[in-house]
Amino acid sequence: RKQTAKKQLATLNPIFLSYVKDLVDKYIKVGNPSLKFILCQAHKYEARTLLVGQTLYKLKPSIRSRVNVDKICAFLESSESKLTLASIIEEATQRDERAKSLEMRFKGLAKTVRSRITKKEVKDFIDSCSNIDIDIDIDTLTELALKRESRAKRLEMRFKLLSKGVKSRISKNRIKAFIMTGYPSIATMAEEALESERRESEVKEKLATLSGNVRNHLTQQEIDEAIVNNSFDSSELVKMAVSREDRAIHVKNKLFTLTETIRCRIRKQTLDMFIRYGAVVSQGELITSLDSICSGFRLPH
């Protein structure tokens, strides 16, 4: 069967032969479908390919660029497909018309206004002729761009009244979200920024009362958390640092009482964890006693 298939399919273009490769493999393996059927399928694919090529060649470049490639592939691969070449071309033509109408409308808008519409929104508008889940018209898109530009202008005016420090606390993502959707409001963003500035000032004042050794027990992430998290008071940050310093002194004094041999057996990682959290975990057990650590308890790496 392999030799027969090779002989009878020898005249086929390799491109069209690759299309029926699975059918050929099945024929060689079980004898079905027949080579006549396989040749027929290959010729149908060839005919559809030539038809698509000739049709696309005759189209305007702008329309050709709007043709849905996936639908063309689906049309080529199955003669039973409900898709017709005419419907695919009609859809591409509608896309082209929508793209041109949007281009004409946008010519009447300032560049900054046009930039307020995302590429995805433009694509959704152009594709809405073939997707019933997308419901957007050119007037809605234009109104959206104008509203966003208006919000951007209002934000710019309001920002002139804010200090540089406060403005720097409003993230680009928050600004973009306001321009695109109107939320959060300018007042909310300004209030949050002012509160953040107040909290940072408060945290800095509290930290300034601590010695360098005590401050060093705090990570920058913990300091930042105290600034942005309303539920984490700066006083708690100070207490945390002081508690860690107390444990560090306790550890230092305890190690001083141990022999060099025992000290070498206690991992630094274990002691650092105890200083930081007041406890260490091993095999699911919480150890809160420094004596337990120093008497032979060791954390695995």
Side-chain angles (χ1 to χ4, degrees), residues 68-79:
N68 188 312
V69 176
D70 290 337
K71 289 186 177 181
I72 287 291
C73 291
F75 171 78
L76 288 173
E77 289 170 5
S78 176
S79 57

Side-chain angles (χ1 to χ4, degrees), residues 68-134:
N68 188 312
V69 176
D70 290 337
K71 289 186 177 181
I72 287 291
C73 291
F75 171 78
L76 288 173
E77 289 170 5
S78 176
S79 57
E80 306 301 323
S81 173
K82 293 180 181 179
L83 284 170
T84 64
L85 190 56
S87 68
I88 296 172
I89 301 305
E90 174 61 24
E91 185 182 288
T93 303
Q94 288 181 24
R95 278 201 181 100
D96 187 51
E97 288 172 353
R98 292 176 78 83
K100 285 178 177 175
S101 66
L102 185 61
E103 185 181 355
M104 289 300 293
R105 175 66 67 91
F106 271 22
K107 278 184 178 179
L109 300 175
K111 189 176 181 180
T112 54
V113 178
R114 292 199 300 269
S115 69
R116 302 299 175 189
I117 299 299
T118 66
K119 289 181 180 179
K120 183 182 182 304
E121 287 168 335
V122 170
K123 184 178 184 300
D124 284 348
F125 168 74
I126 293 171
D127 289 346
S128 61
C129 59
S130 59
N131 190 339
I132 59 173
D133 294 327
I134 299 173

Side-chain angles (χ1 to χ4, degrees), residues 195-257:
E195 175 62 14
S196 174
E197 187 175 50
R198 185 195 66 76
R199 290 179 67 81
E200 182 174 0
S201 177
E202 182 183 288
V203 167
K204 283 181 176 179
E205 286 178 10
K206 288 286 177 69
L207 292 181
T209 65
L210 302 175
S211 67
N213 285 342
V214 178
R215 273 200 308 272
N216 289 340
H217 287 297
L218 298 172
T219 66
Q220 187 59 48
Q221 184 178 349
E222 287 168 337
I223 294 171
D224 292 342
E225 181 70 12
I227 293 170
V228 301
N229 191 343
N230 289 329
S231 63
F232 189 42
D233 190 79
S234 58
S235 297
E236 293 177 39
L237 192 69
V238 171
K239 287 179 184 177
M240 183 191 294
V242 171
S243 295
R244 288 174 180 173
E245 177 63 7
D246 288 344
R247 286 194 292 270
I249 293 170
H250 182 37
V251 166
K252 185 178 179 181
N253 292 338
K254 182 68 178 178
L255 291 178
F256 184 74
T257 66

Side-chain angles (χ1 to χ4, degrees), residues 279-297:
V280 290
V281 178
S282 177
Q283 299 176 346
E285 184 182 358
L286 188 68
I287 310 296
T288 58
S289 168
L290 182 59
D291 289 334
S292 296
I293 296 172
C294 295
S295 62
F297 170 74

